[in-house]
Amino acid sequence: MDNFDNIAQYPMYFAPGCKLLQLQPQMVSDVYDYLRKLFGSKIKLYTRCCGLDDANQHNDEAVFITLCDTCYKIYGETYANLHMRDFWNVYDEYKDVYPLGEKEGELRKTLKNTFCGSLPQEHVKSWFEEWKKWSLNSTEKD
């Protein structure tokens, strides 16, 4: 793994995660603004879902900075040419240069309270069972 000093040599993307984009757009915007302070116009917002992404799109080396554990895992395991970075690791490296100040606490709290990883199997299973009951009841009433 390369160090932080040379990550800017590659194209850079902020891939916050599709759930965070939907649930916390202002927070995503704040983090993206922060990263643009660090890396300028070199960093681009990447809005595709890691579970639905097309492998042909990642032929070149690039740096992906993400807030989402699932994106980190899927992109990191799927594409050897992507240099994955967790936002908090990047922040720890650069916080003396550009601190978030009071926004850091807000961001950490928001992330903690926002479900941004993949859905646990038990949750999906129970949701599906409830949906089946509901849909069967709905069709019986018609």
Side-chain angles (χ1 to χ4, degrees):
M1 184 176 276
D2 43 20
N3 61 33
F4 286 98
D5 291 336
N6 68 4
I7 64 172
Q9 70 181 317
Y10 304 111
M12 299 182 77
Y13 299 93
F14 172 47
C18 57
K19 289 180 187 162
L20 283 175
L21 277 167
Q22 292 173 345
L23 299 173
Q24 298 292 340
Q26 184 58 52
M27 183 204 60
V28 168
S29 180
D30 291 345
V31 173
Y32 185 45
D33 288 344
Y34 174 81
L35 290 169
R36 284 193 308 223
K37 285 181 184 175
L38 290 177
F39 302 111
S41 61
K42 182 169 179 61
I43 192 160
K44 307 292 183 215
L45 184 63
Y46 193 82
T47 60
R48 295 196 56 161
C49 174
C50 62
L52 304 173
D53 211 343
D54 180 2
N56 293 327
Q57 193 160 339
H58 304 296
N59 293 331
D60 298 327
E61 282 192 85
V63 173
F64 267 47
I65 298 172
T66 187
L67 289 164
C68 177
D69 293 338
T70 303
C71 289
Y72 190 93
K73 182 175 175 24
I74 289 176
Y75 284 129
E77 290 177 357
T78 307
Y79 306 106
N81 54 337
L82 296 183
H83 303 269
M84 298 304 301
R85 296 291 184 268
D86 176 75
F87 169 76
W88 293 110
N89 291 339
V90 174
Y91 179 69
D92 286 344
E93 184 72 17
Y94 291 102
K95 67 184 173 188
D96 292 336
V97 178
Y98 288 112
L100 283 168
E102 63 188 46
K103 282 195 173 202
E104 180 181 352
E106 292 172 30
L107 177 58
R108 288 186 188 273
K109 183 179 177 187
T110 301
L111 282 172
K112 186 176 181 179
N113 294 327
T114 303
F115 186 69
C116 65
S118 60
L119 290 172
Q121 197 170 15
E122 309 85 53
H123 177 73
V124 172
K125 193 174 186 179
S126 65
W127 175 86
F128 183 68
E129 292 301 321
E130 283 186 42
W131 179 81
K132 274 193 344 189
K133 283 185 212 172
W134 173 82
S135 65
L136 289 174
N137 288 336
S138 294
T139 57
E140 290 174 2
K141 291 178 184 177
D142 292 335

